[in-house]
Amino acid sequence: MAQAMLPDSDRFEPGEELRSLSDAIPSGVAICRLGVVVWASPRLAELLGRQGGVGIVGERPEELLLDLGDGWPPANSQRDVLCGVRGLEETGRRVRIRRHAPLADDGQAEIWIFADETRQVRAEAELMRHAQRLHEANRERVALREELCRQADEREELLGIVSHELRTPLTVISGYTKLLLSGEVGPLDETQRRYLKESARGCRQLDAFIASLLESVCAGAVEDSLDLRDAALGPVVLGIGRLLGPLLGERELGLEIDLAPDAQVARFDPTRVEQVLTNLVGNAIKYTKRGGVIRLRSDRLVAAGRHYVQISVADQGPGIAHTDRTRIFEPWVRATEPGAAAGLGLGLSICKRIVEAHGGCISVHDEPGGGSRFVFTLPAQAGADAGEES
């Protein structure tokens, strides 16, 4: 190790034992006499960025280091002090130093130990940055939760207002329809009576929809209100055709119905399944191009040893993006493709809850030739699982 120009009396030559020790440890070692470095190990020269030890021997430690606020290490103390390295400020080099008692054979010479703390300091700084980011993320999470709660409260309030404001005129319309059907204000021909019956049925459908709006914020309401029984699908499906007939005619659309012989009876609540089919066929009417065809069919399905009736509604619309096929069954979510029909994004989520309350499932798939095919299942009639081989 090169030494600066020191008087011979101030030079220090470490013994073989001290040299071996300094070479064996990862820390840098310096011998200081009267506050001046008289010897430095190769490792210390490396830590301080001084090749060959130039600029170390003959210097005072405080001229080699930067005080970071901890001061300088007191003599004969167990306290470490963190310092920067002069000339290496841009690298962020940090060393932790400690002064040890004077050497036994030289009462004026002390050992100074320099440990590289750069990685630890950087790790601590990185940890602090991550902790700050985590803190900020947690604050954002709390703010988001509060915002979601606020929006949920606003939606619940909106649903209450909508249900009240819609039901008042609906009651009036329904009342006058019943009055006309009673014949008290004059006779009706068969066509007029049929139209009024469909109007009355539409009123009941709208009333059920309003109830569904409220159910969208009341968990368990669907399950608690189901009237499950073995019922035929035919009357429900044909009723949908009559109810939506004017809309189909307006857009010059055809409705093809194909109920498989072994898939015409299931265990379900007719009013609720009618609600599902009205929603699905109504959506198909919105998206199918004028002159197109909507196909409604049923099939028998066996899954995990259980028998189901599978019902599908296929349109000839633009289809649904794969990224939206799960999201569209969530409340308040609408498809993102261009040309999507306006709405609140509640219809499919209500369908999903009704179907799942029956013990079935609902999904959407591509329809060969273009369009979408919504598929849902209902349990087969009671005793079907035990009476047929799976």
Side-chain angles (χ1 to χ4, degrees):
M1 176 64 61
Q3 297 202 4
M5 297 178 62
L6 289 175
D8 292 341
S9 59
D10 290 336
R11 291 182 181 276
F12 179 86
E13 291 296 335
E16 187 63 31
E17 183 178 350
L18 180 56
R19 286 182 181 276
S20 298
L21 178 61
S22 67
D23 290 340
I25 63 176
S27 302
V29 179
I31 304 298
C32 295
R33 180 183 290 126
L34 300 177
V36 177
V37 178
V38 295
W39 179 83
S41 69
R43 176 58 178 153
L44 179 59
E46 181 182 339
L47 285 177
L48 301 184
R50 309 298 176 91
Q51 296 298 325
V54 176
I56 297 180
V57 175
E59 298 287 345
R60 293 180 176 275
E62 55 266 32
E63 295 171 345
L64 302 171
L65 305 171
L66 296 170
D67 185 357
L68 299 180
D70 289 343
W72 304 108
N76 300 324
S77 171
Q78 296 298 313
R79 184 169 71 89
D80 294 335
V81 173
L82 187 67
C83 296
V85 176
R86 196 177 298 278
L88 298 180
E89 292 89 345
E90 293 184 359
T91 67
R93 178 64 58 85
R94 296 289 186 268
V95 293
R96 191 171 295 278
I97 57 178
R98 177 181 293 189
R99 293 170 63 179
H100 290 266
L103 299 175
D105 57 351
D106 188 337
Q108 295 180 329
E110 296 177 323
I111 297 180
W112 286 48
I113 304 296
F114 296 69
D116 189 359
E117 293 289 313
T118 305
R119 289 185 178 179
Q120 181 174 343
V121 171
R122 288 176 179 171
E124 290 175 353
E126 186 68 18
L127 181 61
M128 288 296 295
R129 283 194 293 271
H130 283 299
Q132 181 64 27
R133 291 174 185 172
L134 181 61
H135 177 67
E136 292 174 358
N138 187 59
R139 290 178 57 185
E140 292 177 0
R141 181 182 61 83
V142 171
L144 179 60
R145 177 184 293 176
E146 293 175 351
E147 176 65 14
L148 290 175
C149 289
R150 184 188 65 78
Q151 291 181 6
D153 291 341
E154 289 180 353
R155 285 170 176 169
E156 187 172 355
E157 181 181 4
L158 173 63
L159 292 178
I161 294 173
V162 168
S163 66
H164 179 270
E165 296 301 320
L166 285 180
R167 273 178 167 159
T168 299
L170 180 61
T171 301
V172 174
I173 295 171
S174 179
Y176 277 111
T177 301
K178 290 179 180 178
L179 179 62
L180 290 171
L181 285 171
S182 69
E184 295 181 10
V185 293
L188 300 171
D189 60 33
E190 287 304 315
T191 300
Q192 292 171 331
R193 182 171 296 277
R194 178 163 58 87
Y195 287 168
L196 284 173
K197 284 183 177 179
E198 291 301 325
S199 295
R201 190 161 176 266
C203 288
R204 293 194 296 272
Q205 287 272 359
L206 183 55
D207 186 64
F209 172 73
I210 293 171
S212 296
L213 285 176
L214 298 177
E215 289 169 1
S216 67
V217 293
C218 300
V222 175
E223 294 83 346
D224 297 340
S225 61
L226 286 181
D227 179 18
L228 292 175
R229 59 182 183 271
D230 290 345
L233 285 170
V236 176
V237 172
L238 294 176
I240 297 298
R242 289 194 301 270
L243 178 67
L244 300 179
L247 295 179
L248 290 164
E250 180 182 352
R251 294 181 59 84
E252 300 178 1
L253 300 176
L255 177 62
E256 294 184 359
I257 299 173
D258 180 12
L259 303 181
D262 60 347
Q264 297 197 30
V265 178
R267 186 166 183 77
F268 64 97
D269 181 332
T271 301
R272 292 298 194 172
V273 171
E274 181 182 52
Q275 189 177 354
V276 173
L277 287 172
T278 300
N279 197 302
L280 295 182
V281 176
N283 284 346
I285 292 174
K286 293 178 184 177
Y287 288 104
T288 300
K289 295 180 180 180
R290 182 177 296 274
V293 176
I294 298 169
R295 295 178 173 84
L296 191 159
R297 63 174 295 153
S298 70
D299 297 282
R300 193 72 163 192
L301 175 69
V302 181
R306 300 196 62 183
H307 288 253
Y308 296 89
V309 171
Q310 177 177 275
I311 304 168
S312 63
V313 176
D315 61 47
Q316 294 178 336
I320 296 175
H322 285 269
T323 54
D324 288 336
R325 292 188 181 182
T326 300
R327 295 179 63 254
I328 58 172
F329 292 103
E330 298 174 4
W332 311 103
V333 174
R334 296 174 51 240
T336 57
E337 72 271 6
L344 294 175
L346 282 174
L348 290 177
S349 71
I350 292 172
C351 289
K352 181 174 184 289
R353 290 185 60 188
I354 292 174
V355 170
E356 291 181 348
H358 280 79
C361 60
I362 186 170
S363 57
V364 61
H365 310 272
D366 288 328
E367 177 68 4
S372 301
R373 179 166 49 91
F374 284 84
V375 179
F376 69 94
T377 58
L378 297 171
Q381 63 193 104
D385 294 341
E388 300 182 23
E389 292 293 328
S390 60

